Amino acid sequence: MTLWEIDIYPAEGQPDRLGNAVSVDAADLGLAKDLVVSAARGFLVQGELDETQAKQLARELFADRVVERTVVALAGDESLTVPPNGKPQLLHVILKPGVMDPVAQSALNAIADFGLRVDAVRTLRKFWLPETSAETVRALASRILANDSIEQVVVGPLQFDHLQLGSPYQFELTHVAILDLDDDGLTRLSREGQLYLTLVEMQTIQNYFRELGRNPTDAELESIAQTWSEHCSHKTLAGRIAYRDENGEQRFENMLKETIFAATQRIRRDLGPDDWCVSVFEDNAGIVRFDDEYNVVFKVETHNHPSALEPYGGANTGIGGVIRDPMGTGLGAKPIANTDVFCFAPPDISTADLPPGVLHPRRVMKGVVSGVRDYGNRMGIPTVNGAIYFDERYLGNPLVYCGNVGLIPRNKSTKKVMAGDWIVSVGGRTGRDGIHGATFSSAELTSESESLSGGAVQIGNAITEKMVLDVIMQARDRGLYNAVTDCGAGGFSSAVGEMGEKTGAEVWLDKAPLKYDGLSYTEIWISEAQERMVLSVPPENWDEFESLCSSEGVEASIIGKFVETGRLQLKYNDHIVADLPMELLHDGRPPIIRDAVYEPPVTAPMNLPVAASIDLNAALCKILGSLNVASKEWVIRQYDHEVQGGSVIKPLVGVDNDGPGDAAVVRPVLSSHRGIAVSCGMNPHYGDFDTYHMAASAIDEAIRNCVAVGADPSRISILDNFCWGYTDRPETLGSLVRAALACRDLAIAFGTPFISGKDSLNNEFSYESEGGKQTISIPPSLLISAMGQVEDVRKCVTMDLKEAGNSLYLVGLTSDELGGSHFALVEKLNGGQVPKVCTDRAKQIFASVHQAIQSGCVRSCHDLSEGGLAAGLAEMAFAGGLGALVSLADVPTDIQGAVDVAALFSESNSRFVCEVPVDRKANFERLFDGLPFAAIGEVTDSGRVVVTGSAGVTLIDSSIQELKEAWQSPLRW
Amino acid sequence: MSTPRVLILRAPGTNCDLESAHAFELAGGKAVLVHINQLLQTPSLSNQYQILCLPGGFSYGDDISAGRILGNQIRHHLQETLVEFKSAGKLILGICNGFQILIRSGILLADDEHGEPATLTWNASGKFEDRWVKLAVDGHKSVFLNGIQSMYLPVAHAEGKFVTRTPALLDQLRSEGRLALRYNSLRATNGQVPYPDNPNGSQADVAGVCDETGRVFGLMPHPERFVDPTQHPRWTREGLQEHGDGLLMFQNAVRYFG
């Protein structure tokens, strides 16, 4: 047995990609200037290889000989530690044992294809640094080179001579002594065992086992903790809440059910026979009708806590996980589009100002974007929509929302587990990764989370998931299984527990294929190892199913049987390691009862400056350059947004393909012209004023984005994703309930159903500082994602101005609503009124805009949001490479007195700017009869955006180059 | 006209198979998806086809380097089959990852005594990018580019920078007319197309290369992503073309057997 190390360096004259990236990051984070780093990627290969064979692998497999050179030697050999010129310090970065290493796994198979015998491969990275202080080396290692939660840094030569492969497992049944614990003991057990259950829940479990007269096994306790976790059961929001606000008190038995679900039920009832919802809040994703043949499904999830610790892996498995939701919906939907929305702290914060345990936001952002990119692109799913919001309060707790749209045949949209079916695990093997993810994501982050919960952080392997998708689609069409679900948080425990809820299940944990030896039965049961799906396969179909899987190299294993017992029984070989009634798991949790209060903050009127007193051109540029508004092209281009060939409206539009589109449109069926539009709405800044209006505005924004490209407003479905702080505090929960009430009201008013949703609570970060414990809570962050439908994509429009001479119309009413606006943000103004939604008017406006687009009156259309009319016009102009000449004199408004600044920058909802050819003006105007709208100017070929005030004074006069540069430069990384 | 049969080769991580099949079908071919394991098991399957298409994606995750593992599988097990396929006068098309695989497999550019004469390596930008590029056709060698002077197509890749081992090898390929497709730009200076019009820093702006017969062709841009007029990034400004630029390539392949 030998252990070879193969190091791969760029050849003479070739760029050192890895080394240069470190230099750039070191400069960006202020750690070192002009640091020149040399880097190599390397492989440790263990097996029966002689030198000739090792060199053959280096030559023919590992290195690209046109642009790379290799060093091949036995591990520990001095030739591996000969420093390049002037860089004496060597650091190795290797993955911690058990962390997913997809490249090593592929390499193992690729070596076998050479007919060589190798039993383990590990990848490594090697960095050579110039002489520098130990402190700088430490800072580089921890802030740039490696992530402590998944990787280790070895300074100097690697010392080991063989690769650890895991050690055999000795079965031992473990019971947890719970019967005699007092309340303190129960609380301690919950925390130290990472169960994160409340005392009342622990007492309920204790009582259950006292009646049985025995202690629970560890597997039983873990099963209960996982099923009852906030992440899996949404117990807070689906619990009893007593809510008080300025309108009095309301009591909810099940808050979500009585607000958001209820709204959807009402809409479906009102639609009667025209109801186009198929399955809502039931399956892994919401399902609605698409055309005669297909339904579409939509789901958005968050992966916040893992992304805070390991941004790449967290986001990677976040998108990987949400893709499995449509795959596990009905009998399996084909994923057709991704959407990704992130919230970060501003990336320019000084490294010295970071609290302990916090990764720099720039690193978080780069890691998250790469994680989504690498998984989404490999899955072959276009990432078509997204947004990024910046706020300092996301410093310790960034948010990563990942969503997926899927397409499913109408007759494959429901599933039913049959007793007698095999429980089949398909895809990735089970390892020790991701243990306690479900319960961990329900806990607050602290500066120690990194060491405590390393196991909850994972790396994904997108190709494994793609292979699973490929066989599931074929097996679905051949009708080989009765039900499917994804293995997400809680692993088998959650997947089998949910699938077997109505029947019962017997699971043989020793049958689950493992990545390495040494896993206990409980670890197998709760591991959240990625890329696994669980299917319910009738015994008579097993042979065909198994041979389909093996023909594509996908591992499928029978790990148990669905049985008509109503119990969950786990076995390891012949030992029963858990035996619980399903009803304890699914209905046994004591209801959570919480108080919620909302006191609307007292807001002073905003002291709005008069137009003459400020430089409005500068203000507009500041808004365009503010991080929330600025171009995200650096991110968008890294995502494949055109794979699957159905791209109709891309995320970037306009004459130079770089303007900010309102919503993306794809054709999921290539032989048809029917399309799906995907958009989102979110504005955490409004939440500081009133979470009701924040939620209402987010819904309005998501819908108007969809409508702006041509989606039918009567066929838009939406999702809610609540990310909030610590909801045990009545005022934090109160702000959430208030947002949910807005969701209910707006959904009903618009006839726009919520079809699925998810919440992530306790997004707070705590650390010790000189002044004692400090806590940063995220702002209330409600993401509304919208999925619209387009009857004929050839009628879609984009937001870029098209032709000089066309008229510009402003549609909608402008009010004095600058509270939380970007104008207030860049001019540092406080107070003011937050934008509200007049639902009656908004609904009519959406319908009229849609009709105008359908009838071909509209050449371009842009929704107005951050930065108001001024920012919207600027974006339309520079995206189209054309100018605009606009007067504010006729802007429809209810403002008394000086209106110019408000007309430019107010963020009033339900507004659009439409470009209309002169010969269509009469048609267009007829459609808006009775609604607030006005012709405000025209498209010009001047290349300037010129806006005059109500008194005829020029307020804004900027070239589109200047505006575009202001918009593009901040995040041009 | 007879309908040529197109073998769309699928492997773990292939993800442009369906739209590539769709493009061939639009052009009048009959496309069938075949998994690499099937072909490895029964190489003679290829006898039933006139066109072999290696579509885009991330075969085996592009782990180690793009196209390497599948390229090696072809070297180890399907070399003979593909050489036979080629010499029977049939067509082979590699798109994006398929181009990378063709290069790695030695099917497109034969090895010399130092190994592979050229590679597709990391973009000069250091990252994956999805953007549309203008393309110009040089010469008449590639069957797929017959009658095409220029195209506008998207690229979406991280490893698309064409580099030959020596300048002489580049000159040789050029003189043989095999540098069939290149990135083009109105902003070219000294004959060099600047980023991002040349999206990856390819030598000589190479976007696609054919073999000595012109019947094997690999390119980084995605012709299957512009077969329908609504796929154009600016159709809402410029109107709908009759058909996408990429469709012609598939029609050329199908007509070759007409």
Side-chain angles (χ1 to χ4, degrees):
Chain A
M1 186 77 73
T2 53
L3 180 63
W4 291 92
E5 180 176 329
I6 298 169
D7 293 341
I8 299 149
Y9 289 89
E12 192 65 36
Q14 294 295 330
D16 187 337
R17 215 168 46 84
L18 204 54
N20 294 344
V22 175
S23 310
V24 170
D25 287 344
D28 282 349
L29 297 189
L31 295 178
K33 258 194 173 158
D34 305 321
L35 183 79
V36 182
V37 181
S38 286
R41 55 197 179 90
F43 294 84
L44 291 166
V45 182
Q46 176 169 292
E48 308 283 346
L49 291 185
D50 60 26
E51 187 172 357
T52 317
Q53 291 166 326
K55 287 194 162 157
Q56 184 196 5
L57 289 179
R59 204 170 55 235
E60 296 178 16
L61 178 63
F62 291 119
D64 181 338
R65 280 194 296 160
V66 178
V67 290
E68 290 173 327
R69 67 180 178 89
T70 56
V71 180
V72 183
L74 287 170
D77 191 271
E78 283 175 7
S79 64
L80 296 163
T81 51
V82 179
N85 275 348
K87 292 165 214 138
Q89 297 203 46
L90 171 62
L91 273 77
H92 291 90
V93 178
I94 50 178
L95 289 171
K96 287 182 173 169
V99 174
M100 163 66 74
D101 188 347
V103 176
Q105 213 169 301
S106 292
L108 203 57
N109 296 331
I111 293 170
D113 198 53
F114 279 78
L116 297 174
R117 278 201 45 210
V118 159
D119 51 32
V121 176
R122 296 263 299 270
T123 61
L124 59 86
R125 281 173 295 146
K126 221 165 166 152
F127 298 95
W128 296 93
L129 307 177
E131 198 73 66
T132 174
S133 70
E135 198 190 338
T136 307
V137 172
R138 253 199 316 278
L140 287 170
S142 70
R143 299 228 178 255
I144 295 175
L145 301 181
N147 186 316
D148 203 32
S149 59
I150 53 163
E151 291 164 325
Q152 66 189 90
V153 175
V154 178
V155 179
L158 282 182
Q159 298 293 355
F160 46 81
D161 56 5
H162 70 282
L163 300 177
Q164 194 71 37
L165 297 175
S167 43
Y169 170 64
Q170 295 294 328
F171 175 80
E172 191 186 347
L173 184 60
T174 307
H175 285 89
V176 182
I178 187 175
L179 298 185
D180 302 326
L181 292 180
D182 60 9
D183 287 355
D184 284 350
L186 289 173
T187 305
R188 201 173 325 114
L189 174 62
S190 171
R191 191 182 57 242
E192 288 173 4
Q194 295 187 46
L195 305 174
Y196 300 116
L197 293 171
T198 64
L199 177 60
V200 179
E201 289 164 342
M202 290 301 288
Q203 287 165 338
T204 306
I205 296 169
Q206 187 180 45
N207 287 338
Y208 176 81
F209 284 98
R210 276 181 177 164
E211 275 173 33
L212 292 185
R214 68 167 176 91
N215 274 310
T217 67
D218 53 349
E220 287 173 331
L221 196 54
E222 293 280 3
S223 297
I224 299 169
Q226 172 271 311
T227 322
W228 291 5
S229 71
E230 183 64 60
H231 188 84
C232 295
S233 74
H234 303 278
K235 55 196 173 189
T236 300
L237 301 192
R240 281 187 204 159
I241 296 177
Y243 169 75
R244 263 180 302 118
D245 65 9
E246 75 275 23
N247 302 318
E249 185 172 306
Q250 297 187 55
R251 288 181 169 274
F252 299 100
E253 278 302 305
N254 178 328
M255 197 276 291
L256 283 179
K257 211 170 184 174
E258 291 160 47
T259 55
I260 293 175
F261 300 4
T264 301
Q265 282 173 339
R266 162 96 182 266
I267 293 165
R268 296 186 71 175
R269 225 176 22 245
D270 291 349
L271 283 168
D274 296 327
D275 177 19
W276 44 274
C277 294
V278 176
S279 160
V280 292
F281 296 103
E282 279 174 20
D283 211 330
N284 289 310
I287 313 179
V288 300
R289 179 77 53 78
F290 179 61
D291 62 12
D292 290 342
E293 212 177 327
Y294 294 100
N295 292 325
V296 277
V297 317
F298 194 18
K299 179 62 171 277
V300 174
E301 291 247 15
T302 51
H303 223 215
N304 305 331
H305 291 85
S307 303
L309 301 182
E310 212 302 281
Y312 180 87
N316 199 242
T317 52
I319 186 73
V322 82
I323 291 167
R324 290 196 297 277
D325 278 321
M327 283 167 65
T329 296
L331 289 170
K334 176 193 170 196
I336 56 157
N338 289 333
T339 167
D340 297 285
V341 175
F342 312 134
C343 300
F344 302 127
D348 49 6
I349 189 171
S350 143
T351 307
D353 293 342
L354 292 178
V358 164
L359 298 177
H360 194 280
R362 185 181 269 268
R363 180 171 177 192
V364 173
M365 178 162 161
K366 282 189 171 181
V368 165
V369 170
S370 321
V372 166
R373 172 195 67 203
D374 287 355
Y375 211 104
N377 290 355
R378 275 174 175 69
M379 282 300 290
I381 303 165
T383 298
V384 299
N385 175 260
I388 308 181
Y389 296 90
F390 294 90
D391 188 296
E392 280 160 13
R393 290 168 287 178
Y394 295 118
L395 187 59
N397 215 134
L399 303 182
V400 174
Y401 299 87
C402 297
N404 184 267
V405 180
L407 181 77
I408 189 166
R410 287 179 61 185
N411 62 1
K412 301 285 183 190
S413 300
T414 56
K415 59 183 151 204
K416 188 162 192 277
V417 166
M418 304 300 282
D421 286 355
W422 296 130
I423 303 172
V424 174
S425 161
V426 174
R429 292 187 157 210
T430 301
R432 214 167 257 135
D433 33 6
I435 295 214
H436 281 139
T439 53
F440 162 67
S441 68
S442 312
E444 179 190 344
L445 282 177
T446 69
S447 50
E448 271 94 55
S449 299
E450 224 177 312
S451 42
L452 183 67
S453 301
V457 175
Q458 302 185 63
I459 302 290
N461 188 350
I463 297 310
T464 304
E465 187 150 306
K466 178 69 167 75
M467 292 165 73
V468 169
L469 172 64
D470 290 350
V471 294
I472 284 188
M473 292 294 99
Q474 296 173 65
R476 177 196 74 186
D477 292 343
R478 292 198 216 163
L480 297 182
Y481 56 85
N482 288 327
V484 58
T485 200
D486 64 302
C487 258
F492 287 144
S493 169
S494 167
V496 176
E498 275 174 33
M499 285 177 91
E501 182 182 348
K502 299 281 182 316
T503 53
E506 186 181 306
V507 184
W508 312 315
L509 292 168
D510 52 293
K511 304 282 192 233
L514 304 181
K515 290 179 179 171
Y516 35 79
D517 289 343
L519 268 73
S520 74
Y521 58 87
T522 300
E523 288 175 314
I524 296 170
W525 181 235
I526 63 169
S527 160
E528 296 176 9
Q530 299 291 307
E531 288 93 28
R532 300 177 303 165
M533 302 288 288
V534 175
L535 293 92
S536 173
V537 180
E540 63 272 23
N541 293 345
W542 168 249
D543 287 344
E544 187 178 349
F545 181 80
E546 206 281 329
S547 81
L548 169 66
C549 288
S550 77
S551 76
E552 303 213 352
V554 173
E555 194 162 28
S557 316
I558 296 174
I559 60 162
K561 190 158 83 167
F562 290 108
V563 287
E564 200 100 56
T565 58
R567 296 188 76 79
L568 176 68
Q569 193 176 67
L570 308 183
K571 290 182 173 173
Y572 189 86
N573 293 324
D574 297 331
H575 310 277
I576 293 175
V577 297
D579 192 356
L580 296 169
M582 284 290 183
E583 64 213 17
L584 171 73
L585 292 171
H586 296 285
D587 305 314
R589 180 172 54 73
I592 299 241
I593 304 166
R594 290 209 200 288
D595 281 326
V597 292
Y598 187 81
E599 277 183 41
V602 182
T603 45
M606 182 182 287
N607 242 336
L608 203 58
V610 292
S613 68
I614 47 169
D615 182 343
L616 294 166
N617 285 312
L620 174 56
C621 283
K622 276 191 275 181
I623 291 172
L624 292 170
S626 65
L627 292 170
N628 292 334
V629 177
S631 170
K632 309 297 185 301
E633 183 170 358
W634 177 81
V635 179
I636 296 166
R637 291 236 176 272
Q638 294 190 59
Y639 300 149
D640 190 335
H641 44 263
E642 299 179 284
V643 63
Q644 297 192 11
S647 166
V648 174
I649 302 294
K650 300 174 208 306
L652 295 167
V653 300
V655 67
D656 290 323
N657 303 337
D658 59 4
D662 288 322
V665 178
V666 296
R667 282 185 307 135
V669 182
L670 294 181
S671 54
S672 151
H673 281 104
R674 194 170 171 86
I676 291 287
V678 186
S679 67
C680 58
M682 184 176 188
N683 200 327
H685 292 100
Y686 297 167
D688 296 336
F689 291 75
D690 189 326
T691 49
Y692 185 95
H693 299 301
M694 174 190 81
S697 297
I699 294 169
D700 191 89
E701 183 184 10
I703 294 175
R704 68 181 188 257
N705 273 320
C706 256
V707 170
V709 297
D712 177 354
S714 68
R715 268 291 184 108
I716 295 173
S717 45
I718 52 179
L719 308 179
D720 62 86
N721 282 86
F722 290 89
C723 288
W724 241 255
Y726 192 56
T727 42
D728 283 4
R729 271 195 310 266
E731 50 279 21
T732 304
L733 185 58
S735 68
L736 191 155
V737 174
R738 191 172 179 89
L741 294 175
C743 290
R744 176 196 64 191
D745 295 349
L746 274 278
I748 292 172
F750 286 146
T752 300
F754 283 94
I755 59 168
S756 185
K758 196 96 191 203
D759 55 83
S760 165
L761 308 180
N762 306 326
N763 286 288
E764 304 206 343
F765 178 80
S766 302
Y767 62 100
E768 294 297 327
S769 79
E770 284 163 28
K773 185 179 168 181
Q774 304 283 322
T775 296
I776 313 175
S777 176
I778 63 159
S781 306
L782 171 64
L783 172 68
I784 299 292
S785 307
M787 174 171 69
Q789 303 201 15
V790 180
E791 200 179 304
D792 184 342
V793 297
R794 291 166 296 192
K795 291 186 174 167
C796 284
V797 297
T798 50
M799 50 71 70
D800 46 309
L801 293 183
K802 302 296 189 301
E803 199 176 344
N806 286 345
S807 292
L808 291 171
Y809 283 86
L810 173 61
V811 172
L813 186 71
T814 303
S815 301
D816 182 9
E817 295 178 321
L818 285 108
S821 68
H822 270 61
F823 180 74
L825 203 71
V826 303
E827 296 296 326
K828 304 193 168 50
L829 302 171
N830 294 316
Q833 295 295 318
V834 71
K836 300 182 176 66
V837 179
C838 170
T839 50
D840 283 351
R841 189 168 61 226
K843 194 173 181 183
Q844 293 178 55
I845 288 174
F846 296 152
S848 296
V849 168
H850 182 60
Q851 276 184 312
I853 291 173
Q854 287 300 298
S855 60
C857 294
V858 178
R859 288 288 282 134
S860 68
C861 178
H862 194 22
D863 93 296
L864 299 186
S865 51
E866 288 99 337
L869 175 64
L873 282 172
E875 289 170 351
M876 294 176 80
F878 63 64
L882 290 164
L885 179 62
V886 165
S887 159
L888 301 179
D890 296 328
V891 165
T893 177
D894 56 4
I895 302 171
Q896 310 294 322
V899 318
D900 286 351
V901 173
L904 283 172
F905 299 114
S906 167
E907 298 183 5
S908 291
N909 284 300
S910 326
R911 295 184 306 154
F912 300 83
V913 170
C914 295
E915 175 189 356
V916 179
V918 175
D919 62 353
R920 308 306 294 266
K921 288 177 71 166
N923 292 23
F924 182 85
E925 292 183 7
R926 222 172 8 250
L927 289 168
F928 289 88
D929 194 26
L931 290 167
F933 80 99
I936 56 168
E938 61 171 20
V939 182
T940 67
D941 51 15
S942 69
R944 300 189 74 81
V945 174
V946 180
V947 183
T948 55
S950 39
V953 182
T954 301
L955 304 176
I956 285 179
D957 185 355
S958 291
S959 75
I960 54 173
Q961 287 80 13
E962 184 189 353
L963 295 167
K964 191 170 180 177
E965 180 61 21
W967 179 71
Q968 287 186 323
S969 56
L971 294 173
R972 193 191 276 140
W973 287 5
Chain B
M1 191 168 103
S2 69
T3 304
R5 289 168 57 82
V6 188
L7 189 163
I8 309 275
L9 187 65
R10 244 166 26 88
T14 303
N15 62 31
C16 302
D17 43 338
L18 292 174
E19 56 268 42
S20 299
H22 175 73
F24 272 110
E25 302 247 327
L26 273 184
K30 168 75 189 144
V32 180
L33 306 180
V34 177
H35 195 275
I36 178 72
N37 291 354
Q38 252 178 298
L39 193 62
L40 288 170
Q41 209 168 35
T42 320
S44 60
L45 273 181
S46 61
N47 296 338
Q48 305 165 17
Y49 299 87
Q50 285 77 49
I51 302 170
L52 167 66
C53 172
L54 290 86
F58 291 80
S59 55
Y60 298 100
D62 279 357
D63 293 336
I64 303 174
S65 72
R68 169 65 75 196
I69 295 179
L70 186 52
N72 272 348
Q73 279 189 310
I74 291 175
R75 276 179 186 271
H76 295 161
H77 311 289
L78 294 170
Q79 194 76 16
E80 241 174 79
T81 307
L82 293 199
V83 168
E84 219 172 273
F85 195 87
K86 216 166 111 167
S87 50
K90 298 178 176 180
L91 300 182
I92 301 178
L93 174 65
I95 302 169
C96 194
N97 195 230
F99 183 21
Q100 294 162 335
I101 295 160
L102 283 180
I103 289 267
R104 304 269 185 252
S105 68
I107 299 291
L108 187 56
L109 304 173
D111 290 3
D112 58 23
E113 66 273 27
H114 303 289
E116 296 161 28
T119 187
L120 291 162
T121 186
W122 272 86
N123 295 351
S125 70
K127 55 183 187 283
F128 182 101
E129 287 191 287
D130 177 337
R131 59 170 77 248
W132 283 65
V133 291
K134 294 193 179 76
L135 297 158
V137 174
D138 282 330
H140 307 283
K141 197 158 187 95
S142 169
V143 168
F144 293 89
L145 299 174
N146 190 17
I148 302 173
Q149 278 87 46
S150 64
M151 289 188 287
Y152 187 52
L153 297 176
V155 290
H157 61 250
E159 297 171 62
K161 177 178 160 186
F162 184 80
V163 180
T164 55
R165 204 174 52 242
T166 64
L169 286 165
L170 186 69
D171 290 341
Q172 192 189 331
L173 289 172
R174 186 188 287 118
S175 68
E176 292 168 6
R178 294 171 61 181
L179 305 179
L181 190 67
R182 67 182 152 82
Y183 303 110
N184 197 9
S185 169
L186 298 173
R187 304 188 294 149
T189 45
N190 303 328
Q192 191 69 35
V193 175
Y195 173 81
D197 300 341
N198 172 342
N200 50 34
S202 275
Q203 282 181 351
D205 306 314
V206 169
V209 176
C210 64
D211 77 336
E212 67 285 356
T213 68
R215 285 184 278 103
V216 182
F217 180 52
L219 76 168
M220 288 314 296
H222 285 273
E224 82 285 7
R225 294 188 187 181
F226 190 28
V227 295
D228 187 275
T230 62
Q231 291 166 315
H232 191 286
R234 294 186 304 276
W235 69 266
T236 61
R237 304 182 66 78
E238 298 167 10
L240 292 165
Q241 295 179 201
E242 200 176 320
H243 49 67
D245 290 2
L247 185 62
L248 279 174
M249 275 185 55
F250 299 98
Q251 288 172 337
N252 277 335
V254 169
R255 272 188 213 129
Y256 185 75
F257 298 96

